[in-house]
């Protein structure tokens, strides 16, 4: 499901034109030094329309409620990304992509991918913005990262190898310290290089239950 916004950026364009008339060219630095402009710039962009997916994504009760309180979705992370978007608009870029965080209307936070098609300065002031909620993917990534840290730091020795070549694909820190090998060296080895009492046939018989599931 994709959230789609139609925005009118004519007010923002006028403000940027004034800045350019004052000789400002390094907009990234200027925006960083003038957070009050960034805050005002958000209100210079008028949200013209949104789709139903936007209401669902932000847990908004109605289109009217969303448009009335749209500025409340911002958190520090989204303000940082918004400054980058302002730089893109001021610099005449044609599009903008980023990952950021917004606050839903129930107070919960969500991770989103934002994609913007920026209209040329000589054309329309209507800008389309699309958002994709990636909160579940980010949460899954964090769980995998946490599990990876546990596996790496446990004192128990853990060995993972390819079932065809038998070469190691992962050996945790406890095992590496015990063996005295680096991971780069272990990539070139198999369990048979560490356990000389096994032959290829005897080791294959040992791991056959793992292969067959």
């Amino acid at each position: 499901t994709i959230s789609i916004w139609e925005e009118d950026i004519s007010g923002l364009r006028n403000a940027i034109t004034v800045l350019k008339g004052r000789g400002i060219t390094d907009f990234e630095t200027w925006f960083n030094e003038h957070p009050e402009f960034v805050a005002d710039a958000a209100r210079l962009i008028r949200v013209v329309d949104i789709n139903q997916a936007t209401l669902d994504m932000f847990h908004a009760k109605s289109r009217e409620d969303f448009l009335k309180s749209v500025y409340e979705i911002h958190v520090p992370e989204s303000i940082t990304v918004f400054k980058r978007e302002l730089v893109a608009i001021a610099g005449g870029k044609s599009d903008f992509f980023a990952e950021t965080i917004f606050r839903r209307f129930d107070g919960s936070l969500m991770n989103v991918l934002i994609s913007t098609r920026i209209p040329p300065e000589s054309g329309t002031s209507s800008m389309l913005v699309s958002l994709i909620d990636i909160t579940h993917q980010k949460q899954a990534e964090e769980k995998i990262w946490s599990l990876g840290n546990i596996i790496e730091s446990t004192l128990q020795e853990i060995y993972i190898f390819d079932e065809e070549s038998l070469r190691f694909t992962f050996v945790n820190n406890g095992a590496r310290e015990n063996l005295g090998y680096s991971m780069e060296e272990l990539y070139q080895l198999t369990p048979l290089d560490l356990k000389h009492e096994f032959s290829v046939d005897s080791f294959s018989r040992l791991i056959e239950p793992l292969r067959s599931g």
Side-chain angles (χ1 to χ4, degrees):
T1 304
I2 300 177
S3 162
I4 300 176
W5 306 28
E6 180 187 355
E7 298 180 341
D8 180 349
I9 62 170
S10 57
L12 174 62
R13 280 261 167 86
N14 291 337
I16 290 175
T17 298
V18 171
L19 296 180
K20 289 180 177 179
R22 290 165 50 186
I24 296 170
T25 57
D26 185 353
F27 284 97
E28 182 176 3
T29 298
W30 197 89
F31 291 148
N32 285 331
E33 293 175 348
H34 296 81
E36 72 285 353
F37 178 88
V38 176
D40 291 340
R43 297 183 179 276
L44 291 175
I45 297 177
R46 185 171 66 90
V47 180
V48 177
D49 201 6
I50 52 174
N51 64 349
Q52 180 61 42
T54 302
L55 301 181
D56 297 338
M57 184 180 294
F58 283 88
H59 298 175
K61 295 180 179 179
S62 67
R63 179 180 179 277
E64 290 71 25
D65 285 344
F66 182 89
L67 295 178
K68 180 175 63 177
S69 306
V70 64
Y71 306 109
E72 298 177 10
I73 69 173
H74 284 291
V75 294
E77 292 86 351
S78 62
I79 293 299
T80 298
V81 169
F82 180 59
K83 282 194 292 186
R84 289 169 46 200
E85 184 180 18
L86 290 178
V87 172
I89 294 173
K93 302 295 184 182
S94 60
D95 48 41
F96 177 79
F97 303 95
E99 180 180 321
T100 190
I101 297 175
F102 283 124
R103 180 186 290 112
R104 299 185 182 97
F105 282 80
D106 62 4
S108 62
L109 300 178
M110 64 175 170
N111 300 86
V112 302
L113 288 177
I114 180 171
S115 172
T116 303
R117 296 295 298 175
I118 304 173
E121 294 184 14
S122 59
T124 178
S125 60
S126 178
M127 183 170 76
L128 288 180
V129 179
S130 62
L131 304 178
I132 299 176
D133 185 351
I134 58 169
T135 305
H136 293 309
Q137 294 93 315
K138 295 295 290 187
Q139 291 172 342
E141 289 175 7
E142 290 173 2
K143 289 180 180 179
I144 292 172
W145 182 84
S146 177
L147 178 60
N149 276 346
I150 293 172
I151 292 174
E152 175 66 9
S153 60
T154 181
L155 296 178
Q156 294 182 332
E157 297 183 18
I158 297 176
Y159 301 84
I160 300 175
F161 53 84
D162 180 80
E163 70 166 303
E164 297 298 332
S165 69
L166 299 183
R167 292 186 184 276
F168 290 112
T169 59
F170 174 80
V171 178
N172 76 335
N173 184 64
R176 295 197 305 270
E177 288 188 352
N178 183 49
L179 294 171
Y181 287 105
S182 68
M183 195 63 243
E184 288 71 23
E185 292 171 317
L186 287 165
Y187 283 140
Q188 307 304 315
L189 303 179
T190 73
L192 300 178
D193 296 310
L194 306 180
K195 295 292 186 179
H196 301 291
E197 63 269 27
F198 286 103
S199 66
V200 172
D201 288 339
S202 63
F203 190 74
S204 294
R205 288 195 297 272
L206 178 68
I207 65 172
E208 181 57 33
L210 298 175
R211 283 174 164 164
S212 61

